[in-house]
């Protein structure tokens, strides 16, 4: 164990996934072996025990969101929650049937959503819905006014994330929710980076549909939840999968009991420790940002300076090349500004969406801290980054020219 650990890099990619909290694992274990029953089995103790585990977890998730237990649907993760919410609502509330030649209805989302929102919206667009993808201002934050300007009489759904997974910026969710309710528009939020880290009250915050995921909050992978409002208004969804009627028919199939129990425990811990974790992580994130930006020129923090999650920062470094920066920082596990998901080297569409140029987007790092990040990890990471950037700049003719006062925008580059 220890020999391997000595060579492992420092994990600062908690926005991609988090380790399971050991308390979560402990809660799950009995459900693999002794309490292995199918919660749908109503005739014997095995089924009842499993059902009890699921009921407890549903209560824990509901408590985290200020929701009623009946409003929680367990899914395989935020991707599935987003699909059920967005497509399910669009098909249920469509203004005209498919193939009628008329618009099936208008949906508002944004160009900096997670792919798990963008792609369902794009599919709906192909199927005859009109989708407005809002463009963010430079600080990355969507306000109620921006949504209001995009509303139309035929708008049926607004889907905007609570906090952005690449830059951590926080949208005006309660006000956007209020606006949607005023206009009888269904409001969905992908709260995967927010729920479990920051307080949610679906009543106060005017939310109709909310997606969250286990593995972003120290629970297991492959489990998530969708909150579906049951009153004022009662939100209806067209199911995407047919089967045994579980989860009110929205998500049929035998329940992932171990995962559900783990998500429940993770939600319970998150609720109890949210304030303490948040305060600690905010201080660590600021320390990290300060120690990097005070020792390097030409670096910029992407997104609004204050309205951000405590645990995510995204920094662009001028005069370094993205690939080399990642290579030089290999002792820390972070995300780069290049979309590695697509296996291409496209710069991040989120940073591009904010107006960050391709070069700077490539040479950006997303650092995301978590419950198990220690102060020493952050100090080490800052040191690594500063040394790496300095070293790369020493080799950079552009940085030399810039320091000699040459205006690079006026340089005529030769062809090669
Ligand atoms: C991680 C993430 C998702 C995807 O969640 P899965 O549970 O892995 O499907 C969706 N949206 C956001 C904002 C995320 O950060």
């Amino acid at each position: 164990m220890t020999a391997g650990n000595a060579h492992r890099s420092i994990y600062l990619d908690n926005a991609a996934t988090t380790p399971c909290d050991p308390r979560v694992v402990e809660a799950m274990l009995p459900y693999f072996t002794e309490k292995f029953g199918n919660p749908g089995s109503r005739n014997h103790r095995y089924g009842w025990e499993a059902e009890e585990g699921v009921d407890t977890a549903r209560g824990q998730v509901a408590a985290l969101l200020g929701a009623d237990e009946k409003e929680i649907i367990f899914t395989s993760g935020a991707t599935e929650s987003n699909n059920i919410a967005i497509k399910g609502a669009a098909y249920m509330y469509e203004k005209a049937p498919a193939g009628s030649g008329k618009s099936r209805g208008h949906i508002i989302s944004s160009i900096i959503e997670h792919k798990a929102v963008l792609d369902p919206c794009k599919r709906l667009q192909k199927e005859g819905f009109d989708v407005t993808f809002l463009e963010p201002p430079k600080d990355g934050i969507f306000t109620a006014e921006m949504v209001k300007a995009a509303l139309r009489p035929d708008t049926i759904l607004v889907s905007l994330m609570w906090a952005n997974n690449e830059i951590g910026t926080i949208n005006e969710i309660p006000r956007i929710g209020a606006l949607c309710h005023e206009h009888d528009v269904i409001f969905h939020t992908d709260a995967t980076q927010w729920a479990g880290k920051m307080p949610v009250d679906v009543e106060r915050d005017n939310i109709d549909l909310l997606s969250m995921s286990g593995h972003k909050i120290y629970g297991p992978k492959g489990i998530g939840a969708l909150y579906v409002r049951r009153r004022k208004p009662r939100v209806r969804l067209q199911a995407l999968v047919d089967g045994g009627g579980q989860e009110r028919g929205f998500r049929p199939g035998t329940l992932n009991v171990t995962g559900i129990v783990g998500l429940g425990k993770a939600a319970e811990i998150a609720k109890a420790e949210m304030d303490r974790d948040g305060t600690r992580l905010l201080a660590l994130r600021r320390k990290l940002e300060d120690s990097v930006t005070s020792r390097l020129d030409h670096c910029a923090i992407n997104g609004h300076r204050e309205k951000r999650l405590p645990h995510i920062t995204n920094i662009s470094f001028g005069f370094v090349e993205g690939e080399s920066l990642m290579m030089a920082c290999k002792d820390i596990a972070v995300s780069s500004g290049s979309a590695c998901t697509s296996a291409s080297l496209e710069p991040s569409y989120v940073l591009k969406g904010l107006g960050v140029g391709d070069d700077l987007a490539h040479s950006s790092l997303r650092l995301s801290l978590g419950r198990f990040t220690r102060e020493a990890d952050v100090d080490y990471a800052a040191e690594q980054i500063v040394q790496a950037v300095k070293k790369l700049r020493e080799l950079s003719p552009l940085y030399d020219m810039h320091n000699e006062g040459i205006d690079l925008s006026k340089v005529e580059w030769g062809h090669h």
Side-chain angles (χ1 to χ4, degrees):
M1 277 293 283
T2 47
N5 276 340
H7 298 285
R8 294 182 69 178
S9 53
I10 286 174
Y11 190 73
L12 291 178
D13 205 10
N14 287 275
T17 195
T18 57
C20 256
D21 190 301
R23 293 169 288 182
V24 167
V25 177
E26 198 186 336
M28 291 170 71
L29 283 176
Y31 291 89
F32 285 103
T33 48
E34 306 138 51
K35 303 185 182 179
F36 62 85
N38 185 330
S41 301
R42 292 279 148 78
N43 306 315
H44 50 69
R45 169 160 299 279
Y46 296 92
W48 303 332
E49 275 174 351
E51 191 182 26
E52 226 174 81
V54 170
D55 287 348
T56 302
R58 208 183 294 283
Q60 289 162 325
V61 173
L64 180 70
L65 305 177
D68 186 275
E69 290 164 25
K70 294 195 197 78
E71 298 176 310
I72 305 301
I73 305 298
F74 290 116
T75 67
S76 64
T79 300
E80 190 184 9
S81 296
N82 287 341
N83 272 271
I84 296 174
I86 295 169
K87 293 182 197 160
Y91 298 148
M92 183 56 80
Y93 293 94
E94 67 181 2
K95 299 276 185 193
S100 66
K102 295 192 195 125
S103 163
R104 296 175 73 184
H106 178 233
I107 297 166
I108 299 172
S109 188
S110 94
I111 61 168
I112 60 167
E113 295 296 307
H114 192 277
K115 293 276 183 190
V117 165
L118 284 179
D119 288 357
C121 286
K122 285 181 189 163
R123 179 173 300 277
L124 290 171
Q125 204 170 27
K126 282 204 198 94
E127 292 175 355
F129 291 86
D130 270 348
V131 186
T132 300
F133 292 99
L134 298 175
E135 292 183 15
K138 222 174 154 22
D139 68 10
I141 292 178
F142 292 104
T143 64
E145 285 69 33
M146 295 172 197
V147 177
K148 190 169 186 182
L151 279 179
R152 302 191 332 205
D154 62 340
T155 305
I156 54 178
L157 174 71
V158 171
S159 177
L160 287 171
M161 67 203 324
W162 204 318
N164 186 276
N165 50 298
E166 284 195 32
I167 53 176
T169 47
I170 300 166
N171 291 326
E172 270 188 2
I173 291 305
R175 291 191 57 215
I176 294 169
L179 174 80
C180 289
H181 282 176
E182 256 170 58
H183 290 83
D184 286 328
V185 171
I186 302 289
F187 179 47
H188 167 251
T189 186
D190 176 354
T192 310
Q193 294 291 345
W194 175 275
K197 312 278 170 60
M198 304 292 275
V200 177
D201 181 329
V202 288
E203 291 307 323
R204 179 197 61 204
D205 301 330
N206 310 304
I207 289 159
D208 295 324
L209 296 161
L210 177 148
S211 305
M212 59 178 285
S213 179
H215 73 99
K216 304 287 176 85
I217 61 166
Y218 314 97
K221 293 171 181 56
I223 188 72
L226 175 65
Y227 159 78
V228 183
R229 176 175 287 280
R230 268 169 67 95
R231 42 191 297 277
K232 293 185 182 177
R234 181 184 181 88
V235 175
R236 293 172 307 143
L237 298 173
Q238 184 166 311
L240 306 181
V241 173
D242 301 309
Q246 291 93 340
E247 299 301 274
R248 291 166 57 203
F250 292 139
R251 210 284 187 168
T254 300
L255 300 188
N256 171 5
V257 178
T258 49
I260 289 170
V261 168
L263 174 61
K265 187 68 185 175
E268 182 191 69
I269 299 170
K271 187 168 158 58
E273 301 182 0
M274 179 180 294
D275 288 350
R276 185 154 34 104
D277 277 354
T279 309
R280 192 180 73 87
L281 291 178
L282 179 61
L284 283 187
R285 191 203 79 203
R286 289 203 167 129
K287 186 172 191 209
L288 174 63
E289 289 175 340
D290 289 348
S291 86
V292 169
T293 57
S294 66
R295 290 152 74 195
L296 292 173
D297 52 14
H298 297 286
C299 54
I301 295 172
N302 294 305
H304 196 285
R305 281 309 296 260
E306 297 305 322
K307 294 177 185 163
R308 273 181 309 141
L309 289 170
H311 65 289
I312 299 180
T313 190
N314 189 309
I315 311 178
S316 297
F317 302 92
F319 304 105
V320 296
E321 201 256 317
E323 279 285 274
S324 326
L325 181 59
M326 284 300 280
M327 294 281 281
C329 291
K330 61 187 181 313
D331 284 352
I332 52 176
V334 299
S335 274
S336 80
S338 304
C340 29
T341 44
S342 56
S344 69
L345 271 177
E346 278 291 293
S348 147
Y349 66 89
V350 172
L351 296 179
K352 276 185 88 163
L354 296 188
V356 176
D358 281 10
D359 280 1
L360 269 186
H362 273 305
S363 63
S364 301
L365 298 178
R366 176 187 70 181
L367 303 133
S368 47
L369 320 182
R371 185 178 288 158
F372 304 107
T373 307
R374 299 159 308 162
E375 187 165 5
D377 299 336
V378 163
D379 294 341
Y380 183 81
E383 192 60 36
Q384 279 268 309
I385 293 167
V386 170
Q387 294 314 326
V389 171
K390 281 188 172 161
K391 203 156 126 207
L392 292 171
R393 283 178 179 172
E394 272 168 26
L395 307 171
S396 159
L398 291 183
Y399 190 59
D400 274 350
M401 287 163 80
H402 172 82
N403 284 338
E404 283 159 20
I406 299 169
D407 183 349
L408 292 173
S409 64
K410 301 217 172 83
V411 172
E412 275 193 44
W413 305 103
H415 294 282
H416 38 242

